[in-house]
Amino acid sequence: MDLNKTVCALATPPGQGGIAVVRVSGPQAYAVTAQVFQPLHAEKRVQDARGYTALLGHYRLRGQEMDETIALFFRAPHSYTGEDVVELSVHGGDAMAEGLLEALYLAGCAPAGPGEFTRRAVLNGRMDLTQAEAVMEIIAASGRQGAALAKTALDGALAKTIAGIRSRLQTLSAHLTAWIDYPEEDVPELAPGELTAALGAAKAQLDALIDGYGAGAVLRRGVDCVLLGRPNVGKSTLLNLLAGFERAIVTPVAGTTRDVVEQAVQLGDIRLNLFDTAGVREVGPEGDAIEAEGIRRSWNKLDEAGLVLAVFEAGAPLSAEDRALAARCEGRPAIAILNKQDLQPGAAALAAQQEALRPYFRRLLPLTAKDPASLPVLAQAVAELLGAAQVDTGAAALCSARQLAAATAARDALAAAIDSQRQGLGPDAAGVCLADAQRALAELTGEDAGEATLDEVFSTFCVGK
Ligand code: GDP
């Protein structure tokens, strides 16, 4: 990326809206804007505008006065990108924003690539890569908890935690190097337990970050969820409860829900990406082909899903289909929903059913899908099962698969270092592993990240961010 170029892009979503904001960043941001933007008061000059000030005027395209425009000025390095930045607000809707972009291109501005403003912020040292990824996560977050988690990362909590670990490893590593390279210098030897204790403490911090990743990801991005059960247990009713309107066709006739339908619903702080599936039942070779295909897809989804809601009719004897479903849920993030509690199933039947299902599920949840009051109960159960209820949104957390991979590599290198000491291998062995861990952590924060890593991270960004 050429930081000498001045770039521009629409920073607000395309389409109709109150205002559209076009952002201009780079060394020529003021010069380019001066060619396009005419302040209302003729004595005002764009080039003289101080940072954090605004001017009212209009923009011109090919000599023609276009829309009323407000220009907001930021002077390097006190801007999002760390460069000179001008944000131009015009009326929302595509026409005026596109006209403004055209005028800026004609004035010599280049179109910004996906995530280019944030990438420039990283290259100019305004934020590290973990914070840049947090920007993306804030934009993508569907729930407030997820956004809060990303905001914590943007504020630098993860960057700070990683910096702390790195600095401690750096001290250890310096010590080991001195000891190995200058044996005659009388560098005090680390007590045998001291090195492993220090390594263990750093590893524990990384373990905590790695363990918390899944729950954080659920809060930020939601979870793929399947809803399964034999016909008539109330899956469609449950889906309607979740969706908040009559979306699935609820009918007392078995087998109307045939397709795997995707729909995103917000359940408390968690977005569920739902697959409403065909009723689970065994179909012989002579059975309904469409239904069989639906069932195959249901099973596949069950294996991939981050959350399985398996629905049963409370107190009803378990059918072969029920048992097949339960067995399939073993070891998975699955909740058994014992639906239709309002029909007041007998206590003995209910107890027997729970007994039979318990070994396969992490949670049994008596529910009445017909009753809207069931929603918060279900939300709480899901948040607890996925660990989302226990997430501290103010604490440092990993917020991308890339960060998780780097943290895991660093953790594994530390584990190898500890292992080498347990086996009585010399300090060199620990030193090599420590260097590996340091490299992985530098990759995590982006300090050591190559062009390819940056390309990969920013390819997921939208243009204008
Ligand atoms: P599906 O085949 O699993 O999708 O089941 P449906 O959602 O179509 O429900 C089948 C029947 O059970 C319908 O008549 C629903 O009204 C009824 N039903 C669903 N949930 C409840 C519930 O919580 N209580 C009662 N009493 N009936 C329910």
Side-chain angles (χ1 to χ4, degrees):
M1 177 180 304
D2 183 359
L3 291 179
N4 292 316
K5 268 204 298 196
T6 295
V7 294
C8 64
L10 182 65
T12 42
Q16 295 193 358
I19 60 168
V21 177
V22 169
R23 193 186 255 159
V24 187
S25 180
Q28 302 301 317
Y30 280 64
V32 167
T33 302
Q35 290 185 55
V36 168
F37 173 75
Q38 177 75 55
L40 186 64
H41 297 290
E43 74 281 6
K44 301 268 188 196
R45 275 169 38 94
V46 165
Q47 282 92 336
D48 300 335
R50 285 183 296 131
Y52 304 139
T53 61
L55 282 178
L56 173 65
H58 55 258
Y59 83 87
R60 303 178 78 84
L61 173 62
R62 299 178 197 279
Q64 191 185 337
E65 181 175 318
M66 301 289 283
D67 198 14
E68 187 168 71
T69 306
I70 291 175
L72 261 180
F73 297 94
F74 303 85
R75 287 280 184 189
H78 305 292
S79 70
Y80 182 71
T81 58
E83 304 170 334
D84 279 347
V85 168
V86 184
E87 286 181 4
L88 299 163
S89 305
V90 293
H91 283 109
D94 296 330
M96 284 307 174
E98 277 168 17
L100 176 55
L101 284 171
E102 189 183 336
L104 288 165
Y105 298 152
L106 288 172
C109 216
E116 181 160 349
F117 295 112
T118 308
R119 189 165 179 168
R120 284 172 175 246
V122 171
L123 294 175
N124 290 318
R126 295 290 287 171
M127 57 174 80
D128 81 352
L129 202 54
T130 66
Q131 290 167 303
E133 286 173 303
V135 170
M136 189 63 201
E137 291 301 320
I138 287 186
I139 294 170
S142 53
R144 262 187 232 171
Q145 292 282 93
L149 202 59
K151 164 82 165 56
T152 301
L154 180 59
D155 290 344
L158 178 63
K160 216 150 101 195
T161 301
I162 299 297
I165 298 175
R166 286 181 71 191
S167 129
R168 265 172 288 129
L169 294 185
Q170 186 60 41
T171 309
L172 273 185
S173 180
H175 203 93
L176 285 176
T177 311
W179 191 29
I180 295 161
D181 293 352
Y182 305 100
E184 71 284 358
E185 288 289 328
D186 226 19
V187 178
E189 203 175 312
L190 282 173
E194 220 173 314
L195 177 60
T196 37
L199 291 170
K203 180 177 166 293
Q205 269 189 294
L206 289 173
D207 277 332
L209 286 173
I210 292 164
D211 291 346
Y213 176 75
V218 163
L219 279 178
R220 291 191 319 275
R221 295 292 180 120
V223 63
D224 281 1
C225 172
V226 286
L227 200 59
L228 295 172
R230 66 178 159 77
N232 248 11
V233 289
K235 298 178 298 299
S236 306
T237 308
L238 188 64
L239 178 65
N240 286 334
L241 175 78
L242 289 165
F245 58 93
E246 295 278 314
R247 195 205 140 274
I249 309 156
V250 180
T251 125
V253 182
T256 42
T257 320
R258 287 193 160 171
D259 225 341
V260 179
V261 185
E262 195 173 353
Q263 167 157 15
V265 298
Q266 193 70 25
L267 180 63
D269 285 317
I270 300 173
R271 188 183 63 211
L272 305 185
N273 304 317
L274 271 170
F275 300 87
D276 177 25
T277 60
V280 176
R281 65 169 106 168
E282 289 172 12
V283 178
E286 72 286 334
D288 178 334
I290 303 167
E291 194 76 346
E293 171 62 14
I295 290 160
R296 194 186 58 73
R297 278 191 275 169
S298 300
W299 286 139
N300 286 347
K301 285 279 175 240
L302 185 149
D303 294 340
E304 294 161 7
L307 174 68
V308 181
L309 300 178
V311 188
F312 301 89
E313 192 162 326
L318 293 182
S319 68
E321 301 97 301
D322 286 334
R323 289 180 194 281
L325 172 59
R328 196 95 185 196
C329 287
E330 192 174 4
R332 305 217 171 270
I335 297 180
I337 290 174
L338 310 178
N339 191 32
K340 309 192 187 181
Q341 290 291 324
D342 57 320
L343 298 181
Q344 301 186 332
L350 203 53
Q353 187 185 36
Q354 294 193 346
E355 185 90 352
L357 291 177
R358 190 161 288 119
Y360 303 107
F361 290 93
R362 288 211 229 142
R363 178 86 190 248
L364 303 181
L365 187 68
L367 209 75
T368 301
K370 268 189 163 176
D371 180 3
S374 302
L375 209 48
V377 178
L378 182 60
Q380 183 63 23
V382 168
E384 280 169 13
L385 183 89
L386 300 178
Q390 296 86 306
V391 169
D392 171 6
T393 54
L398 300 169
C399 67
S400 72
R402 186 197 70 79
Q403 294 173 7
L404 176 68
T408 306
R411 191 268 316 267
D412 292 349
L414 291 181
I418 295 169
D419 219 35
S420 76
Q421 296 312 290
R422 291 218 176 101
Q423 290 175 29
L425 300 176
D428 327 33
V432 171
C433 299
L434 259 184
D436 286 346
Q438 295 274 51
R439 257 193 305 279
L441 292 178
E443 170 95 4
L444 201 165
T445 57
E447 202 170 299
D448 257 12
E451 194 77 1
T453 303
L454 292 178
D455 283 347
E456 192 189 314
V457 168
F458 289 103
S459 67
T460 61
F461 272 59
C462 38
V463 170
K465 194 61 231 174

